[in-house]
Amino acid sequence: STWSGINKNAGNALSIAFIPDIISYVASDQMSFYERFLNFISTVTTLFMYYNHQLPLQDTVLKENYKLDAPPVADMVSNVSLYLINTHPTVEYAQPYTPNMIPVGGIVIEPDRTSLPQDIKKFMDGASKEGVIYFSLGTLVPIHRMPKEKLQMFVNVFSKLKQKVLWRINLDTIPGLSANVKLTKWVPQPGVLAHPNCVLFLTHGGLFGQQEAIHAGVPTVGIAFFGDQPSNVKFAEHSGIGVSLAFDNISEESISAAINKVLKNPKYKENAQRLSRIFRDRPM
């Protein structure tokens, strides 16, 4: 969903009754009365933090670092004539936009911009018909610092898979790692997801990663942590392109069940490819 602060500045309806706030834990646009109440609280909290914390903080940064005699940031954002917003109908619930709001989410995705490193290309090209699972929890979730027992859960699950696993993690090695798993500290993610052998994205549900997965038509298993991640993962479930896992009570059984559910049910791939066609179908 578009951030409530942007909607407010653009003069767009907040539509609290049927559009989840971007940090709301409400999972649907079909809300019960209680869920609408929770969404109201989330929206009010978002707006309060925006006007009373974020904008004043930006004023401080502007004055301290740029020494500009500028008007308050709140005044400047209220005078914006056009909003190019990082979203798209395929990654959010249906909602109204005023004419000055143009969704452009995903227009910067270019899988061929950066070639795959040779070792990763060889790893993915050499996959069997079962394909490759790509696992990344982004840059803000230090998976290499997670409890060893949870890290070992993933190692154990991956060792039993028929698929290869490309695991983006800031580690050189992990004890007990099976031969079908390759660790890497960095990858050109759009290129990996667009590779024809990529069959699943195990993700934290970040917005850019979700857009890149939809662009590539790759289904997801989401493990959300904070911010907009829970709402993104829930939307993936709502759209039928993925399932979610709760990190707090994750287990080998739940990881394996989620992966197999998505890989063995063709509807997830079909839905992802359908959204991909819509996502790519734009005049620019």
Side-chain angles (χ1 to χ4, degrees), residues 114-141:
T114 303
S115 300
L116 293 180
Q118 282 302 311
D119 60 327
I120 293 177
K121 185 177 186 303
K122 182 178 179 180
F123 180 79
M124 299 193 72
D125 286 347
S128 68
K129 65 178 182 178
E130 303 295 339
V132 178
I133 296 172
Y134 172 50
F135 181 25
S136 172
L137 297 184
T139 57
L140 297 179
V141 180

Side-chain angles (χ1 to χ4, degrees), residues 200 219-222 233 235-244 262 268 271:
L200 178 67
T220 61
V221 171
V233 168
F235 181 79
E237 281 192 304
H238 169 83
S239 303
I241 63 171
V243 299
S244 66
V262 175
Y268 292 101
N271 287 335

Side-chain angles (χ1 to χ4, degrees), residues 21-25 37-47:
D21 183 59
I22 196 168
I23 62 169
S24 173
Y25 283 82
F37 174 73
L38 292 179
N39 196 47
F40 168 77
I41 297 298
S42 176
T43 302
V44 170
T45 301
T46 296
L47 292 174

Side-chain angles (χ1 to χ4, degrees), residues 51-70:
Y51 287 109
N52 293 279
H53 175 69
Q54 293 176 346
L55 290 183
L57 182 61
Q58 291 175 33
D59 282 328
T60 301
V61 171
L62 188 64
K63 292 176 181 177
E64 291 182 354
N65 294 279
Y66 297 96
K67 311 298 182 183
L68 296 177
D69 184 20

Side-chain angles (χ1 to χ4, degrees), residues 27-198:
S28 172
D29 55 351
Q30 303 294 321
M31 304 181 209
S32 65
F33 177 80
Y34 178 65
E35 288 172 328
R36 290 180 180 183
F37 174 73
L38 292 179
N39 196 47
F40 168 77
I41 297 298
S42 176
T43 302
V44 170
T45 301
T46 296
L47 292 174
F48 178 84
M49 292 298 295
Y50 176 62
Y51 287 109
N52 293 279
H53 175 69
Q54 293 176 346
L55 290 183
L57 182 61
Q58 291 175 33
D59 282 328
T60 301
V61 171
L62 188 64
K63 292 176 181 177
E64 291 182 354
N65 294 279
Y66 297 96
K67 311 298 182 183
L68 296 177
D69 184 20
V73 174
D75 291 346
M76 290 191 283
V77 297
S78 66
N79 287 320
V80 173
S81 299
L82 181 67
Y83 292 83
L84 303 179
I85 53 179
N86 183 30
T87 188
H88 187 269
T90 58
V91 296
E92 65 178 5
Y93 299 101
Q95 57 189 279
Y97 286 127
T98 49
N100 60 336
M101 301 176 72
I102 310 297
V104 296
I107 64 171
V108 298
I109 299 175
E110 297 181 20
D112 298 329
R113 177 184 298 173
T114 303
S115 300
L116 293 180
Q118 282 302 311
D119 60 327
I120 293 177
K121 185 177 186 303
K122 182 178 179 180
F123 180 79
M124 299 193 72
D125 286 347
S128 68
K129 65 178 182 178
E130 303 295 339
V132 178
I133 296 172
Y134 172 50
F135 181 25
S136 172
L137 297 184
T139 57
L140 297 179
V141 180
I143 187 173
H144 58 285
R145 295 180 182 174
M146 73 165 54
K148 290 183 179 180
E149 62 272 13
K150 291 199 173 183
L151 195 65
Q152 192 61 42
M153 290 178 189
F154 289 99
V155 172
N156 294 342
V157 170
F158 294 161
S159 69
K160 301 172 185 176
L161 294 174
K162 296 179 181 179
Q163 294 79 15
K164 286 186 173 183
V165 179
L166 180 63
W167 189 349
R168 197 205 69 78
I169 186 172
N170 194 30
L171 291 174
D172 294 317
T173 185
I174 300 176
L177 200 66
S178 53
N180 66 320
V181 182
K182 178 177 178 59
L183 305 183
T184 180
K185 295 183 179 180
W186 179 86
V187 296
Q189 185 164 281
V192 168
L193 291 169
H195 193 286
N197 287 339
C198 186

